[in-house]
Amino acid sequence: MGVVIPLEDKKNKQASVKPLVDLTMSDMERVNQLILSKAGSDVQMIPEVANHLISSGGKRLRPMLTLAAASMFGYEGDAHIKLATSVEFMHTATLLHDDVVDESDLRRGKSTARTIWGNQASVLVGDFLLGQAFRMMVDVGSLEALDVLSTAASVIAEGEVLQLSVAKNMETTEDDYLQVIRAKTAALFAAAAEVGPIVAATGKADRNALKSYGMNLGLAFQLVDDVLDYGGSSIDLGKNVGDDFREGKITLPVILSYRRGTPEDRAFWREAIEGGNNDGPNLEKAVGLIRRYGGLTDTIARAQHYGTIARDALAPLPASSWKSALVEVIDFCIDRVS
């Protein structure tokens, strides 16, 4: 089941993450080496579980943001390598924990770690990776960077708990949901970008610009993920299409469809999400209602809005290949729904 969503003012050239990948390639090789090193342990199951997810083909966008955000200000040390690796470990730990909480069976087209090694191992290996992340932050020796990333770790955990509190609750508002994704997803994007100028010892304005860029990029990224769950493919999404529906997750397309629908439509959503009646035919009906009430197109419009804020955050910075690559990442994240 796929839905092609036309975007207004679409460029002829498809946006790409390749410029950022090319610019950070040599540093990412060092990050990947450090990832393999720090994921190692004498306890055999730890590297097995960690490497299962680490090697599963993610773009590693978050650590690339850290590398780019440091390099664009002329940083030449190695602190950004350790911080980028810390960011990736934080993200990987979150995925391991998320899959347990959500009872997910597929991640980036592969069986989740929990389906192979069990929930306990997934949680504990996630905790190990968080510990390694904080050890690397301490090694860097920047209290400001440590403060930013440790605060993000706390905010992410709060977001996870908040998501649990609104799960399967159809009275969740758009503001409630934005609060969840701001904490659960966007906070790590913001922190990943902010620590770059910190280690590069730039001014407060540059730091705030990259923080705002990361936060709004993260919001746009998650909103597009919400759309792909109802109008994409498993290849695009890295998990089963419709997983959010089957897991009873309240996402923005659902919120908009529920609030705009008839009393009969709202009764369907309550039965499907709150009552757990989320089989194949109901998924088809859910997609139909979301499309009827503009849930996909309006969620994309929200993503474009946050993308514009991210672009404006970078606008005062001097022109450079780094800046251009970061701007193109915004379009790439949104263009995934084309």
Side-chain angles (χ1 to χ4, degrees):
M1 174 176 55
V3 180
V4 176
I5 308 295
L7 297 182
E8 295 180 1
D9 300 321
K10 186 76 174 171
K11 303 179 206 52
N12 292 327
K13 176 179 175 291
Q14 188 82 1
S16 172
V17 74
K18 188 177 185 299
L20 183 63
V21 171
D22 290 345
L23 285 170
T24 60
M25 185 174 297
S26 60
D27 280 344
M28 277 304 300
E29 288 177 1
R30 298 169 64 193
V31 168
N32 290 333
Q33 291 172 1
L34 191 56
I35 284 172
L36 293 175
S37 171
K38 295 298 184 180
S41 170
D42 292 335
V43 179
Q44 183 178 355
M45 189 180 291
I46 289 177
E48 286 179 355
V49 176
N51 290 332
H52 173 77
L53 186 53
I54 289 169
S55 64
S56 62
K59 291 183 176 62
R60 297 197 175 152
L61 178 57
R62 295 159 187 82
M64 284 195 288
L65 294 181
T66 300
L67 299 176
S71 298
M72 72 187 299
F73 296 108
Y75 181 73
E76 295 180 347
D78 63 0
H80 66 323
I81 303 297
K82 294 178 181 178
L83 292 176
T85 306
S86 297
V87 165
E88 183 63 12
F89 273 17
M90 290 174 65
H91 176 54
T92 303
T94 299
L95 297 183
L96 286 167
H97 292 163
D98 275 358
D99 287 340
V100 172
V101 172
D102 297 337
E103 299 181 345
S104 297
D105 296 329
L106 190 66
R107 167 74 64 180
R108 294 172 184 159
K110 296 172 61 175
S111 296
T112 53
R114 76 171 200 92
T115 64
I116 300 173
W117 290 277
N119 289 337
Q120 293 173 320
S122 292
V123 170
L124 294 174
V125 172
D127 291 344
F128 170 82
L129 293 178
L130 282 175
Q132 292 292 75
F134 280 101
R135 289 178 65 182
M136 285 183 283
M137 294 176 211
V138 171
D139 286 344
V140 168
S142 168
L143 284 178
E144 284 185 296
L146 177 60
D147 178 55
V148 166
L149 288 173
S150 61
T151 298
S154 177
V155 170
I156 292 166
E158 287 179 332
E160 294 285 357
V161 176
L162 181 59
Q163 185 176 52
L164 281 178
S165 72
V166 302
K168 301 184 179 181
N169 178 6
M170 289 309 307
E171 298 309 315
T172 301
T173 65
E174 181 172 344
D175 286 336
D176 293 333
Y177 182 63
L178 289 173
Q179 184 180 357
V180 169
I181 65 172
R182 189 177 296 274
K184 186 173 176 290
T185 302
L188 186 55
F189 276 84
E194 185 180 2
V195 294
I198 288 176
V199 295
T202 63
K204 185 72 173 178
D206 294 332
R207 176 175 165 177
N208 287 342
L210 269 296
K211 178 181 179 180
S212 176
Y213 165 82
M215 177 65 72
N216 289 286
L217 176 67
L219 289 169
F221 183 92
Q222 184 59 57
L223 288 168
V224 170
D225 263 8
D226 293 349
V227 171
L228 288 173
D229 196 75
Y230 288 96
S233 70
S234 296
I235 294 174
D236 296 326
L237 197 58
K239 61 178 184 177
N240 290 316
V241 172
D243 271 355
D244 287 351
F245 181 74
R246 285 182 285 267
E247 292 164 9
K249 285 186 179 179
I250 308 295
T251 60
L252 188 55
V254 172
I255 292 170
L256 296 178
S257 178
Y258 175 77
R259 294 188 171 272
R260 295 170 179 177
T262 65
E264 292 77 13
D265 296 332
R266 289 193 287 274
F268 162 79
W269 283 113
R270 287 192 296 270
E271 176 63 22
I273 299 294
E274 297 177 354
N277 189 3
N278 48 24
D279 56 11
N282 275 351
L283 174 59
E284 295 283 352
K285 182 174 181 180
V287 171
L289 289 174
I290 287 172
R291 295 181 68 187
R292 180 189 306 169
Y293 293 111
L296 298 181
T297 53
D298 285 356
T299 299
I300 293 168
R302 305 291 202 277
Q304 290 172 323
H305 166 72
Y306 289 112
T308 299
I309 298 175
R311 186 177 292 104
D312 288 342
L314 295 182
L317 301 180
S320 69
S321 57
W322 294 103
K323 177 180 174 179
S324 297
L326 290 175
V327 169
E328 186 161 353
V329 166
I330 301 169
D331 294 325
F332 165 78
C333 287
I334 296 172
D335 284 357
R336 291 180 299 152
V337 292
S338 63

